Every structure is written in structure tokens, then in C-alpha cells.
Amino acid sequence: MAELTTTIGGFHFNNTIMNGAGVWCYDRKELSAVDTSAAATFVTKTATLAPRAGNPKPRMAATDLGSINSMGLPNKGLDYYLQVVEEFHQANPEKPYFLSTTGTSPDDFGKIFTKIAASNFSGLVELNLSCPNVVGKPQIAYDFAAVERILTQVTGIYHGPLGVKLPPYFDLVHFQQIADVLNQFPLTFVNTINSVGNGLVIQDETAAIAPKGGLGGIGGGYIKPMALANVRVLRQLLKPEINIIGTGGVETGRDVFELILCGADMVGVATQLGKEGPKVFARLTEELTAIMDAKGYKRLSDFRGKLQVPEAREVAVH
Ligand code: SIN
């Protein structure tokens, strides 16, 4: 039977599927449910320096094709997640965990990473530069100079394994610009993509969520083509030592397969995890394994990054 082991940096995982930050990762109870599921590991809710209530409700809605959310980074604060991840690590010293974090003001980044560097944290940090839902704040990773400034500061303070969570890019010039910035730093991974920011879902005659006049991040099946493209193009542009976690639009094992075909080393699941709960990981694992067995692939490296593109045929004018 096919095996699904993978590595991010020097860390080994016995499966390639995990949650995406934001879903089933708010507190110890939710993290424990993911930890004891078939998932490879978990990433925490994005922790800010101080706890946050997030945006007013209703702030999340599931639709047939995916989801819209404007959660606004509700979380229990960095100290809580550092403590909880340490507890999971003590219980499972062999299992690497991800801590997601971000700043809500330029001053925060130095404070956050000084705190992490001084803690016992020994997993991987995912720096979220892409939340579209903090009212009055832009998505940081659309500002390439800001990304460079923040990573210069953070990597001067923190020398552990570090990755960034990116928003989707839609223009090849922007892919090149973000890759040029990221390639300057000793990053372990990127996670691409966060939700597609500032979409609108209408139910009858009313926006599905309240914050930002109804605008929110779009997830689920709607965004799979963007996730595939971002994984594929960044894999071509980033230094090979930067691993990729592909997130966006995973509903089936086939979706996991396609993200890996585009170059993902690991795959995140968010909207579908919200719809189905942590049992989704066992189903996706089974479906991915069945596809690999049917194709005769024994391990992920047999097809990772091996997407084929049809040969282009010239078209005559008529
Ligand atoms: C949120 O808290 O608004 C969602 C998390 C994210 O988009 O980064």
C-alpha cells in the first residue's frame, strides 16, 4: 500500500494532510481532536500577542461550493498557544506541531518572536501574512516591501524553523516579486493559499456575514484552481529548500493528489474540515491512498511536482 510520509525542513510526518490555521484549532479541545485524528499534525489558530474576540457575528457561512468567513483572528493569545503546543509536544515528543502567529501592528512582530525565541517551543512557526479580515488592515503579503521588512526583523530574532502563510497571487509579476523577497530569507516553508479575500456571498437578499459590509475570505471548492496555480508557480520560483504546504479547495483525496502533483509537500484542509470535522482526515487519507495504489505510486515523491502540460499546437488563422 502507498505510504504518505513527508518532511518539512528536517521534520518528519507520517501523513501529508493537516488542518489549515483557523479551523478546529481554537483551543486545547479542538487541537486534541485533530491530534488524535488521522491528520499528520496540527497548526494552531493564528495567535496574536493578546487574546482577541475577533469580528462580530455572523462571521462565517458554509455554502454548497465552499465558505465565506470574516473571523478577524479570534484567538486566545500567544501565551496560551505556546503553553498548549508545549503540552502536546511533551505528550508526543516525536510529533512536530505548527504554531501560527501574526502581528496586528508593526511593533508586534519583534515582541512575538522574542517571546517565541525565549520559550521552549520546538516546532515550526507559521507567520500569517495574509488574513483578509482584520478591519482597517491590509493583507500584509500584498505589500512586498512590508514582507521584506518584517522577515528581516523576524529572522534577526528567531532562528527556528519558520514559514509564511501567503494570500493567493493572480499575476505572474506578483508571483516573481513575492518569490524574490522570500528567497532572500532562510525560510523552511510557505503555506499557500489563505482564503481569497473580500468575496461576497448573498443569501436571498442579504449578505451571508456581517463584518466589512458582508465581505470575507472565500474558501473551499471555489478556490481550488487558485490554490493549484499558486502551489505550482511558487514551486517553480522558490528555492528548492523552501517546502510548500498547499491549502485551498480540498474536498476529496483527488484534490490532495492534485496539490501534490503541483509540488506541495504537505496539504492543508480548512473549509471541508469545518463542514465534516476531524474525521475528514481519515476519508482523505483513504481516498488519496486509493488513487496512488490505482496508479502504482508507492510514495508521494513518485508524483510530487510532476504535473504534465499538453504540448502546444500552433493554430492557423482562418
Ligand atoms: C480570520 O481569523 O479572519 C481567518 C484567518 C485568516 O484568514 O488568516
Side-chain angles (χ1 to χ4, degrees), residues 62-215:
T63 69
D64 287 349
L65 295 177
S67 65
I68 182 167
N69 89 84
S70 182
M71 301 301 289
L73 298 175
N75 76 95
K76 293 170 92 66
L78 181 61
D79 290 341
Y80 175 85
Y81 296 102
L82 281 173
Q83 160 81 32
V84 166
V85 174
E86 177 58 16
E87 286 170 21
F88 279 97
H89 175 66
Q90 297 277 331
N92 288 295
E94 303 300 316
K95 191 168 176 179
Y97 295 102
F98 290 79
L99 170 78
S100 173
T101 188
T102 196
T104 53
S105 80
D107 287 350
D108 286 359
F109 295 94
K111 292 180 192 159
I112 287 170
F113 280 90
T114 301
K115 202 166 219 187
I116 298 173
S119 75
N120 291 326
F121 181 72
S122 58
L124 301 99
V125 180
E126 179 173 293
L127 176 58
N128 183 351
L129 297 178
S130 50
C131 179
N133 305 323
V134 180
V135 178
K137 307 274 180 193
Q139 280 168 276
I140 299 168
Y142 286 139
D143 177 344
F144 304 111
V147 174
E148 187 167 350
R149 249 188 343 265
I150 290 167
L151 289 180
T152 300
Q153 184 187 18
V154 164
T155 55
I157 297 169
Y158 182 69
H159 306 294
L162 175 70
V164 289
K165 179 85 176 266
L166 297 173
Y169 296 98
F170 303 96
D171 188 297
L172 292 181
V173 171
H174 296 158
F175 282 115
Q176 189 64 61
Q177 285 174 317
I178 190 66
D180 288 347
V181 172
L182 299 177
N183 281 336
Q184 296 171 43
F185 296 97
L187 293 179
T188 302
F189 69 97
V190 302
N191 189 333
T192 178
I193 55 176
N194 207 324
S195 58
V196 174
N198 300 308
L200 181 61
V201 169
I202 298 173
Q203 291 165 342
D204 190 16
E205 297 184 16
T206 307
I209 58 171
K212 291 177 75 177
L215 301 187

Side-chain angles (χ1 to χ4, degrees), residues 8 24 36 44 56 71 123 165 182 314:
I8 299 283
W24 276 88
T36 52
T44 66
M71 301 301 289
K165 179 85 176 266
L182 299 177
E314 294 303 323

